[in-house]
Amino acid sequence: MSSSLLPQPLIQPNAVLSQLQSGQIFIVQGERGSGLIICHRHHAEIAGPGSAIGGVFDLDCQRVVPFGAPSLIYSDDRAVRRQAYTTRQRWLTITQKIVGLPAPLKRAQGILHTLGRCANPETVDRLPNEVLAQLVGVLPETIAMARPLMGTEAASADTNGHGSAPRSPFAPAKALL
């Protein structure tokens, strides 16, 4: 059984933060291009639509940055939760591939490219440099340097088949209800 915990788009990240720190498990719900960036002390993680959040994994989170129009649902259905954990793991795998790139500027471009494929460019433009930097282990200044380059380098990397950013983990999100 699933029920909407926050039926409206997330507008109060502090409320979400306290729910995550309670140890409860939730599932991010929303259209493609929606999600949360969960900031821990030394790293950050993306949780897109269908991803599990909370539980023991996010007890130490310090900040939650929503993008798009996500909401949270609770489900006690084991199959739904299993799929949600799989979805969260896909996001971790994508981010790890980007972190594995040797050059910081390539990592910055990789996360901007990946998020740009999942969300619209205006949404990505509104995400703080320090949060994006925490996702891939670069300085916020490196993200700032990569933003203007994305109009040319990302497009040419896509067309010549030598793009360094991994493919997005999502087709359009499936309904959980």
Side-chain angles (χ1 to χ4, degrees):
M1 176 179 142
S2 298
S3 61
S4 182
L5 182 64
L6 299 173
Q8 300 298 321
L10 293 176
I11 55 172
Q12 297 295 329
N14 289 337
V16 176
L17 183 62
S18 64
Q19 290 171 335
L20 291 180
Q21 292 171 336
S22 74
Q24 295 180 30
I25 298 171
F26 301 100
I27 300 169
V28 177
Q29 185 176 18
E31 298 295 319
R32 181 182 167 126
S34 296
L36 300 172
I37 298 176
I38 302 168
C39 301
H40 298 268
R41 184 171 180 185
H42 297 293
H43 75 285
E45 300 174 11
I46 301 170
S51 296
I53 61 170
V56 297
F57 305 109
D58 296 319
L59 286 173
D60 67 338
C61 65
Q62 298 180 339
R63 181 177 178 190
V64 176
V65 179
F67 59 93
S71 60
L72 298 181
I73 62 168
Y74 174 81
S75 177
D76 52 10
D77 182 301
R78 295 182 85 187
V80 171
R81 282 187 175 197
R82 186 174 311 122
Q83 180 60 41
Y85 283 121
T86 300
T87 301
R88 173 90 179 254
Q89 184 60 43
R90 281 189 212 141
W91 277 107
L92 289 170
T93 300
I94 294 296
T95 306
Q96 284 178 333
K97 287 180 182 178
I98 296 168
V99 169
L101 297 171
L105 188 57
K106 289 292 184 188
R107 293 196 303 269
Q109 289 174 311
I111 198 64
L112 290 169
H113 177 76
T114 298
L115 286 171
R117 290 182 63 158
C118 299
N120 66 48
E122 294 80 25
T123 299
V124 177
D125 287 345
R126 286 191 298 264
L127 291 172
N129 288 344
E130 63 272 5
V131 171
L132 296 174
Q134 200 175 6
L135 285 167
V136 292
V138 300
L139 296 172
E141 293 82 1
T142 307
I143 297 291
M145 287 174 35
R147 286 186 188 269
L149 300 174
M150 294 310 295
T152 56
E153 288 189 16
S156 66
D158 269 352
T159 57
N160 69 19
H162 295 96
S164 59
R167 188 177 175 281
S168 165
F170 288 114
K174 294 181 184 177
L176 294 175
L177 299 176

